[in-house]
Amino acid sequence: MRKKAKIGLALGGGGARGLAHLLVLEVFEEFGIRPQAISGASIGAIVGALYASGIKARDIREYVDSHLKLKMDSQSWKQDGKNLMQMVKLLDIDFSGTGLIKGENFSHFLYEMLETREFSGLEIPLSVVATDFWTSSQVVFNDGPILPAVKASMSVPGVFTPVTYRDRILVDGACVNPVPWDLLQDCNVLIGVNVLGRSLPTKNLKPPKAAKVVLETFEVMQRGILAQKLRYDPPDLFLDPPIQGIGIFDFHKAETVYEQSKPIVEELRRFLRDIL
């Protein structure tokens, strides 16, 4: 007898490119099924927490669109100072602290959406990965309050202020585990979604600015970790949308992310048809 599929879904880090996770979740809803467990790092932890709390993928997309003005094209974003200031206010930028962004306003944004405040109240079991700054080790959260765990998981070093929680200084979970499918051992079908995308090299040899160097180097490290994981312990399905030219804060390019991520929609549909 064929064993019933217990699907575990791992949602990776990648900033605005993580909007592609919503397309993956919409496919699950199209099939009328839900993952038995979800794990997430960084933006994957955010999307995973919202979905696991009982919010449908389409509702998450509509809510994010309405609050972050995601349907603007990049040119109108640059021209509209009011909308740019709304993003700055949402991110809570602070040049004087331990991170460029404090993230308190983003926390309020998450609180508005979440259907529950505790891991125990989630409809789908969730594991959130963060990184202990001082020990360089992985920290996994699956109990207690959701918000500090998610805030820690999304705290990109040097950009977001590190989170002090449970006697640890915590930063982005993608530092140690960019797509944490290994946290889903109770499931017999593992799906990993990588949203790091691809960099677009420039034709000139002028060095990029410091902020871009830091963020791109962080992603180079994550790609290296992923390559080793895929070599030694791959998931049953690894979805890797061909996203290009999208920075971690380019939420205004949501439609581009959705368009570039369409290939993984069909790939996931074929996979689910087969295992179901």
Side-chain angles (χ1 to χ4, degrees), residues 138-186:
Q138 173 175 276
V139 181
V140 180
F141 296 102
N142 50 30
D143 62 4
I146 297 169
L147 187 61
V150 172
K151 280 186 64 180
S153 186
M154 61 175 251
S155 295
V156 179
V159 180
F160 283 91
T161 302
V163 172
T164 302
Y165 182 53
R166 294 184 180 177
D167 298 322
R168 297 175 183 263
I169 304 297
L170 302 168
V171 294
D172 198 317
C175 290
V176 290
N177 202 344
V179 187
W181 63 78
D182 50 298
L183 304 183
L184 301 167
Q185 295 305 312
D186 290 337

Side-chain angles (χ1 to χ4, degrees), residues 72-146:
M72 295 185 300
D73 58 44
S74 59
Q75 188 60 33
S76 66
W77 177 267
K78 292 176 182 177
Q79 292 174 349
D80 191 339
K82 180 179 178 181
N83 286 318
L84 180 57
M85 289 307 297
Q86 287 176 347
M87 175 61 88
V88 170
K89 183 178 179 181
L90 175 70
L91 292 175
D92 200 8
I93 291 179
D94 174 23
F95 291 94
S96 62
T98 54
L100 179 61
I101 300 170
K102 289 187 289 187
E104 293 304 318
N105 290 344
F106 196 81
S107 300
H108 296 313
F109 170 76
L110 288 177
Y111 261 126
E112 287 182 10
M113 286 202 69
L114 281 171
E115 296 289 329
T116 181
R117 302 289 184 259
E118 301 284 329
F119 278 92
S120 60
L122 295 173
E123 294 185 1
I124 301 173
L126 173 70
S127 296
V128 169
V129 60
T131 302
D132 186 308
F133 180 80
W134 293 116
T135 65
S136 304
S137 60
Q138 173 175 276
V139 181
V140 180
F141 296 102
N142 50 30
D143 62 4
I146 297 169

Side-chain angles (χ1 to χ4, degrees), residues 17 100 156 159 198-202 204 206-220 223 244-250 253:
R17 296 174 294 245
L100 179 61
V156 179
V159 180
R198 285 94 166 140
S199 299
L200 285 176
T202 58
N204 62 59
K206 183 178 179 181
K209 297 191 179 197
K212 185 175 180 62
V213 169
V214 171
L215 292 174
E216 291 289 341
T217 302
F218 179 51
E219 293 185 350
V220 167
R223 292 186 183 98
Q244 290 186 318
I246 305 293
I248 65 169
F249 296 126
D250 287 345
K253 297 181 181 179

